[in-house]
Amino acid sequence: LARQLPTTPSESPRERTATDGRAPDTAKQALEGRAKLRLALINRLHRGLTEVTTKLANFLANPGRQGVVTLPVVLSESSVAHEWWKSASAVPDDRQYLATSLGEPPSVDDASLLRALRAEVHAAFAEFQRTPPGVEARKGYDEVLQKYEAARIQPVISGHDAGPLVQECARLGLPCEREFTRSLLVSPWMLAISQSPDEGSAKEVMVAGLSLAQLGALVGHLRRLNPLLTNAQLRTLLLNASTDLKQALRKAMGQQEVERVQELARQLLRLRAMEHLVV
């Protein structure tokens, strides 16, 4: 993989600033450290996406009868950044190495160091999705999800990371935008938990108000109420139940919305039965 991925990222204004006024050897070490960090991040993303794809493919070989699988994995900028931040926070040598790799002085404060790490992780995510291995990994992931679609098994995931780095950013006064915590695993074939009701679309259905376990259980129950539901129909039912059609606004899934989507599933089954009777 390392031979296929770029080993030296293009020079950025930040890289030039980080090496200004330094001795040649120090400047060279900083650039080399940053290139190694970028490559390590890209390799981490490739490994994460391929591991999820493999797990999904293995489960599909023996899926059971529930017609739903919950995937408690988030692959976001925040979750990946936390892996490096956790080490840097615990080991002084790791912190110094991270600071040097990011072009920061050893005395850099926590907020500035984490801000620099976040910027590098963001760039790595963007680059990964453009590299041939990244494109190929995403293709393999989508192909497995399309097999789930054909098998009428709905994968359910958390659309965002709510892990330790979110709290750390709050402590340091750094914002946590949706893009920063949004999982790379969100796709048109997934059903995801959103941060807020207005997130998601008809193409990528996300719902708010339920935990991952609750949404997975609801999907399994809908399958029992109406075994004829396709994955696309199931996602559409949940989208409709979490939308105020009169005001064209999304809303969180509460008890009323849960009851409504169950009734919609029953109605759809009755309509199918009527069609068969007419025929």
Side-chain angles (χ1 to χ4, degrees), residues 49 52-53 56 137-145 185 187 190:
L49 188 55
V52 169
T53 301
L56 285 169
R138 185 73 194 197
K139 180 182 177 183
Y141 175 68
D142 289 343
E143 287 175 350
V144 169
L145 291 183
L185 302 178
S187 86
M190 282 288 192

Side-chain angles (χ1 to χ4, degrees), residues 196-243:
S196 61
D198 65 331
E199 193 175 7
S201 64
K203 182 178 180 181
E204 291 185 344
V205 179
M206 304 178 74
V207 298
L210 299 176
S211 68
L212 180 63
Q214 288 172 332
L215 182 57
L218 177 58
V219 170
H221 184 58
L222 294 175
R223 290 282 195 208
R224 291 189 292 273
L225 291 176
N226 185 346
L228 301 179
L229 284 175
T230 65
N231 285 9
Q233 288 174 327
L234 195 152
R235 292 191 298 269
T236 298
L237 289 179
L238 284 162
L239 178 66
N240 290 341
S242 59
T243 302

Side-chain angles (χ1 to χ4, degrees), residues 93-115:
D93 285 347
D94 287 354
R95 178 189 172 86
Q96 183 173 346
Y97 181 79
L98 179 62
T100 301
S101 299
L102 292 170
E104 299 289 346
S107 60
V108 64
D109 61 275
D110 284 355
S112 297
L113 183 59
L114 181 53
R115 189 181 295 110

Side-chain angles (χ1 to χ4, degrees), residues 16-72:
R16 292 195 293 272
T17 302
T19 59
D20 286 347
R22 296 188 180 188
D25 287 348
T26 303
K28 181 180 179 182
Q29 289 174 1
L31 289 175
E32 289 178 348
R34 192 167 202 145
K36 290 179 181 178
L37 176 60
R38 177 70 63 86
L39 182 59
L41 287 166
I42 290 175
N43 285 340
R44 169 66 183 90
L45 291 175
H46 187 276
R47 184 174 70 254
L49 188 55
T50 53
E51 285 177 355
V52 169
T53 301
T54 299
K55 288 180 180 179
L56 285 169
N58 290 341
F59 179 83
L60 194 58
N62 187 23
R65 299 180 180 180
Q66 293 185 343
V68 60
V69 57
T70 56
L71 192 65

Side-chain angles (χ1 to χ4, degrees), residues 61-132:
N62 187 23
R65 299 180 180 180
Q66 293 185 343
V68 60
V69 57
T70 56
L71 192 65
V73 177
V74 176
L75 191 61
S76 66
E77 293 180 19
S78 57
S79 66
V80 172
H82 177 253
E83 296 175 15
W84 268 260
W85 185 252
K86 181 180 179 181
S87 176
S89 298
V91 183
D93 285 347
D94 287 354
R95 178 189 172 86
Q96 183 173 346
Y97 181 79
L98 179 62
T100 301
S101 299
L102 292 170
E104 299 289 346
S107 60
V108 64
D109 61 275
D110 284 355
S112 297
L113 183 59
L114 181 53
R115 189 181 295 110
L117 175 60
R118 285 178 50 161
E120 184 63 25
V121 170
H122 177 72
F125 265 70
E127 186 172 338
F128 167 70
Q129 295 178 78
R130 295 192 303 265
T131 64

Side-chain angles (χ1 to χ4, degrees), residues 240-260:
N240 290 341
S242 59
T243 302
D244 186 326
L245 300 178
K246 292 183 179 179
Q247 300 186 37
L249 295 174
R250 298 294 307 284
K251 55 184 177 179
M253 292 284 292
Q255 185 58 39
Q256 183 176 352
E257 287 71 33
V258 168
E259 292 175 358
R260 183 186 174 207

